[in-house]
Amino acid sequence: AVNGFFPPELKVSVCDVDVHRDSAMATYDLLKLLAREFGKGYRFSFVIGTDWLQPGTDLRKWESEEGVTGHRLVQEFDFL
């Protein structure tokens, strides 16, 4: 689905690193892990649905293993 949606010049790929874990990782923790594993040659973006853009929702309140890190998620990563 990803390759059919994005144009070929936009290098987008899907990674299954979270699929093989015993439990899901928090979004911020997963993006930080990917950035560490793949290095500076890659840029990671987070794809969200419009349900997270509705009144009453706040990404900045999302939590991870480090506590509330939603504000850092918004500051450190791009969103599509």
Side-chain angles (χ1 to χ4, degrees):
V2 170
N3 292 335
F5 182 78
F6 294 103
E9 61 272 7
L10 183 59
K11 305 283 187 199
V12 174
S13 61
V14 176
C15 178
D16 65 355
V17 68
D18 198 35
V19 174
H20 303 290
R21 297 179 53 85
D22 291 335
S23 61
M25 293 180 75
T27 302
Y28 180 76
D29 297 333
L30 178 60
L31 289 172
K32 292 297 281 188
L33 172 72
L34 291 171
R36 278 193 311 271
E37 285 192 7
F38 288 94
K40 297 197 183 286
Y42 293 86
R43 243 180 66 205
F44 296 95
S45 299
F46 179 54
V47 180
I48 60 171
T50 57
D51 55 324
W52 280 104
L53 302 175
Q54 301 302 314
T57 60
D58 190 351
L59 294 173
R60 289 171 178 82
K61 294 181 181 178
W62 282 16
E63 296 182 6
S64 74
E65 290 181 3
E66 299 177 29
V68 177
T69 52
H71 61 289
R72 294 194 316 199
L73 177 66
V74 171
Q75 290 172 347
E76 296 175 24
F77 294 97
D78 295 326
F79 285 76
L80 296 178

